[in-house]
């Protein structure tokens, strides 16, 4: 059972870390694949798997009370309606394809099956590693892996496995080819026979950063997956593939060097987990590339600001409207002297609609909903007022926090800034004085 505990893989690198140093003497490999996992997982089994996780969590970690949370999960899991060519259909079984919840529920369901059933079938001497619906198993030579598959298939008639056994000591799993040797396992990048190397052409309309990212991704994968014996062959393959796509050789080689630096730095960090990376913010200029190259030999990383964007130059009207909608507001209570104080850059009417929706849906993350629950007092929407407008984000948040500090309120958070009460009162007087002066100046300028 210990061999199947913590079987879930995150990626190919995780696979290699788990298998590093594994002795393959008197052992063989196979991969099992679940047929159509998402649509075969029974919804009641998925809900049970989610419940087994939720029941062991502190209720404060959940966004809702445990019972309400499970009701919402059940609603999402059992909702299998979809539209195809103008007609609506209902999925009768399994988890909905495309739902973000399906992947989580399916993995939890498989973990339950592993703990309750599969671990007893594979035994203690086998290794079982799973990535969603793909399973790698390494077992003693005498193990009948096809018989193991038959036993796995009898556990749940809906969850059926196919099998692919090693050939000549080789087995593809995910994007990695596992090669069995007398000393253990070796690894190289695996490509299907139908692979065409049909990547982004250098003359395509994609921006330069995207093209570089694609090439870098292949180099990084090679350095992370390949055993030393296969690394140079894989690097040559990548260079040849992108030369055919029109990429300059100098660019390819510079990206290879950059990938080597990234791998080297990450391995140094792994060796010294206490090392912290420092970042330096640099303005966007012609010389920034020289500074970045100088910093590569240090522990300092560079972050380059984007500079002026096209949108900043052509959307001045939108920017002005956003500034006018940038407000600090107050929503008083109908039955007590308390009020809710907030800030937004999207205007008071938009925030009131959102607050009303929170109250309608009983979202306890909203302080007004909590106040209604505790006291039975409703917000006085028609007396909501703008206290300040046209403020930048930092100033808005400062003013909001000052009101919360100095006024009777129903807010459940103190705001983004911590004020002493005396300081907050002084600041509010100053802001209110500025507001009065601005209103007076506007009145003087207004023609009769």
């Amino acid at each position: 059972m210990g061999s199947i505990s913590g079987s879930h893989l995150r990626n190919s690198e995780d696979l290699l870390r788990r298998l590093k140093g594994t002795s393959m003497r008197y052992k063989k490999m196979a991969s099992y694949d679940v047929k159509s996992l998402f649509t075969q997982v029974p919804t009641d089994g998925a809900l049970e798997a989610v419940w087994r996780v939720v029941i062991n969590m502190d209720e404060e970690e959940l966004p809702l009370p445990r019972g309400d949370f499970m009701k919402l999960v059940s609603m999402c899991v059992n909702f299998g309606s979809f539209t195809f060519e103008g007609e609506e259909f209902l999925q009768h079984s399994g988890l909905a394809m495309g739902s973000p919840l399906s992947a989580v529920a399916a993995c939890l369901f498989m973990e339950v099956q592993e703990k309750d059933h599969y671990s007893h079938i594979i035994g203690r001497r086998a290794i079982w590693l799973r990535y969603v619906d793909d399973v790698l198993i390494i077992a003693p030579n005498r193990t009948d892996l096809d018989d193991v598959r038959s036993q796995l298939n009898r556990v749940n008639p809906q969850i059926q496995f196919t099998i692919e056994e090693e050939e000549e000591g080789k087995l593809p799993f995910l994007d990695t080819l596992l090669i069995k040797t007398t000393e253990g396992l070796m690894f190289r990048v695996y490509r299907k026979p139908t692979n065409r190397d049909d990547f982004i052409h250098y003359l395509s309309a994609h921006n330069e950063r995207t093209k570089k990212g694609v090439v870098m991704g292949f180099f990084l994968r090679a350095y992370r997956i390949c055993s030393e014996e296969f690394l140079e062959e894989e690097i040559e393959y990548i260079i040849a593939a992108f030369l055919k796509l029109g990429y300059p050789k100098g660019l390819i080689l510079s990206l290879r060097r950059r990938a080597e630096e990234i791998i080297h730095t990450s391995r140094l960090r792994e060796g010294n987990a206490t090392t912290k990376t420092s970042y330096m913010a640099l303005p966007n200029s012609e010389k920034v590339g020289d500074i970045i190259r100088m910093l590569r030999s240090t522990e300092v990383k560079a972050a380059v600001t984007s500079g002026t964007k096209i949108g900043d130059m052509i959307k001045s009207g939108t920017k002005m409207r956003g500034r006018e909608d940038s407000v600090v507001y107050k929503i008083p209570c109908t039955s007590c002297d308390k009020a809710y104080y907030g800030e937004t850059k999207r205007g008071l009417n938009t925030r009131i609609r959102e607050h009303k929706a929170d109250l309608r849906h009983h979202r306890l993350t909203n302080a007004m909903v909590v106040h209604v629950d505790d006291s039975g007092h409703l917000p006085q929407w028609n007396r909501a007022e703008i206290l300040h407008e046209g403020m930048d984000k930092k100033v808005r948040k400062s003013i909001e926090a000052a009101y919360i500090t100095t006024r009777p309120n129903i807010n459940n958070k103190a705001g983004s800034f911590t004020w002493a009460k005396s300081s907050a009162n002084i600041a509010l007087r100053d802001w209110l004085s500025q507001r009065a002066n601005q209103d007076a100046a506007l009145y003087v300028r207004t023609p009769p």
Side-chain angles (χ1 to χ4, degrees):
M1 288 177 65
S3 60
I4 205 170
S5 177
S7 66
H8 185 55
L9 295 168
R10 295 187 297 274
N11 47 41
S12 297
E13 287 182 76
D14 193 14
L15 169 71
L16 270 58
R17 280 193 293 269
R18 304 279 195 96
L19 295 178
K20 188 176 181 181
T22 301
S23 172
M24 294 302 295
R25 192 176 184 187
Y26 309 125
K27 292 181 181 178
K28 58 183 177 181
M29 306 178 291
S31 66
Y32 294 143
D33 179 43
V34 183
K35 298 179 183 178
S36 305
L37 175 63
F38 285 12
T39 55
Q40 296 303 319
V41 172
T43 53
D44 55 346
L47 288 172
E48 181 190 350
V50 175
W51 173 249
R52 285 171 65 163
V53 175
V54 170
I55 194 63
N56 291 314
M57 294 176 64
D58 187 336
E59 196 163 63
E60 293 183 359
E61 298 179 56
L62 298 170
L64 296 169
R66 190 176 282 114
D68 294 337
F69 181 80
M70 285 305 301
K71 286 179 183 177
L72 286 177
V73 172
S74 177
M75 185 185 301
C76 295
V77 167
N78 287 296
F79 182 79
S81 178
F82 63 94
T83 304
F84 178 71
E85 293 186 350
E87 293 188 59
E88 189 170 359
F89 296 86
L90 182 65
Q91 183 174 321
H92 294 293
S93 63
L95 302 173
M97 295 294 291
S99 168
L101 180 60
S102 296
V104 177
C107 282
L108 291 177
F109 173 79
M110 288 298 293
E111 287 182 16
V112 169
Q113 298 299 300
E114 290 167 347
K115 181 178 181 180
D116 293 352
H117 306 289
Y118 299 160
S119 58
H120 304 290
I121 294 172
I122 69 165
R124 293 178 178 274
R125 300 188 63 189
I127 295 174
W128 169 291
L129 295 172
R130 177 178 54 82
Y131 180 78
V132 190
D133 58 352
D134 293 310
V135 178
L136 171 69
I137 185 167
I138 300 175
N141 279 335
R142 66 175 181 274
T143 306
D144 186 340
L145 293 175
D146 198 52
D147 180 61
V148 170
R149 179 181 68 90
S150 299
Q151 293 182 57
L152 295 172
N153 288 344
R154 285 197 290 271
V155 171
N156 188 314
Q158 291 179 259
I159 305 300
Q160 299 293 296
F161 292 87
T162 61
I163 185 173
E164 180 181 359
E165 298 192 51
E166 67 176 71
E167 292 186 8
E168 299 179 354
K170 299 177 182 179
L171 179 72
F173 185 73
L174 304 182
D175 58 351
T176 305
L177 183 65
L178 282 66
I179 304 169
K180 188 168 67 175
T181 69
T182 54
E183 298 177 357
L185 284 170
M186 296 170 60
F187 310 96
R188 67 183 304 173
V189 172
Y190 174 72
R191 294 181 179 84
K192 293 182 178 180
T194 54
N195 175 66
R196 295 177 53 196
D197 293 339
D198 195 11
F199 315 127
I200 298 175
H201 197 281
Y202 188 69
L203 298 181
S204 74
H206 291 80
N207 62 47
E208 192 79 3
R209 185 168 183 169
T210 301
K211 296 171 189 172
K212 289 179 179 179
V214 171
V215 181
M216 279 280 290
F218 279 97
F219 280 130
L220 289 172
R221 182 177 70 165
Y223 284 111
R224 288 167 177 160
I225 288 180
C226 289
S227 299
E228 188 175 346
E229 294 83 351
F230 303 111
L231 179 58
E232 196 56 40
E233 180 184 346
E234 177 64 19
I235 294 298
E236 290 177 3
Y237 184 96
I238 295 169
I239 293 173
F242 283 98
L243 283 174
K244 289 178 183 177
L245 293 169
Y247 286 72
K249 189 170 184 178
L251 173 63
I252 297 173
L253 295 179
S254 68
L255 293 172
R256 174 189 176 178
R257 287 193 296 273
R258 180 64 184 137
E260 290 174 345
E261 291 170 4
I262 291 172
I263 294 295
H264 177 68
T265 303
S266 66
R267 287 173 181 168
L268 285 177
R269 287 201 196 112
E270 288 175 6
N272 183 9
T274 59
T275 302
K276 293 185 178 180
T277 303
S278 300
Y279 287 87
M280 177 185 292
L282 301 174
N284 197 357
S285 68
E286 295 180 1
K287 300 296 184 181
V288 72
D290 297 333
I291 300 173
I292 292 174
R293 281 190 288 274
M294 291 169 59
L295 291 174
R296 284 178 183 171
S297 59
T298 72
E299 291 297 321
V300 179
K301 298 294 181 183
V304 183
T305 57
S306 60
T308 304
K309 301 176 184 176
I310 295 176
D312 296 334
M313 297 184 286
I314 65 174
K315 291 184 178 180
S316 57
T318 303
K319 188 174 181 181
M320 286 301 294
R321 286 195 297 274
R323 187 170 177 81
E324 291 170 358
D325 288 340
S326 174
V327 300
V328 178
Y329 61 92
K330 168 186 174 182
I331 302 176
C333 178
T334 55
S335 305
C336 66
D337 63 343
K338 295 181 179 179
Y340 177 87
Y341 294 91
E343 59 82 25
T344 180
K345 67 176 181 180
R346 295 175 291 120
L348 178 60
N349 291 334
T350 298
R351 284 301 287 139
I352 287 179
R353 285 196 299 271
E354 291 170 349
H355 286 311
K356 287 181 177 179
D358 288 344
L359 192 61
R360 191 164 58 249
H361 296 291
H362 198 252
R363 294 175 182 139
L364 294 174
T365 52
N366 189 310
M368 281 188 283
V369 178
V370 176
H371 184 65
V372 171
D373 275 6
D374 292 343
S375 64
H377 301 171
L378 292 171
Q380 201 167 175
W381 304 114
N382 60 341
R383 290 192 58 198
E385 62 177 308
I386 294 174
L387 302 174
H388 303 270
E389 61 184 351
M391 300 286 189
D392 293 333
K393 179 179 179 180
K394 190 172 182 179
V395 178
R396 276 197 331 263
K397 290 186 175 294
S398 299
I399 296 175
E400 176 199 38
Y403 275 107
I404 295 171
T405 303
T406 59
R407 304 290 196 269
N409 66 83
I410 62 175
N411 295 66
N412 54 14
K413 295 180 181 178
S416 302
F417 293 83
T418 303
W419 284 97
K421 194 167 184 178
S422 56
S423 301
N425 275 316
I426 294 170
L428 280 177
R429 280 201 299 269
D430 181 59
W431 281 318
L432 290 168
S433 174
Q434 290 180 25
R435 177 183 173 185
N437 291 336
Q438 290 170 357
D439 290 345
L442 180 64
Y443 178 79
V444 170
R445 289 196 301 271
T446 303

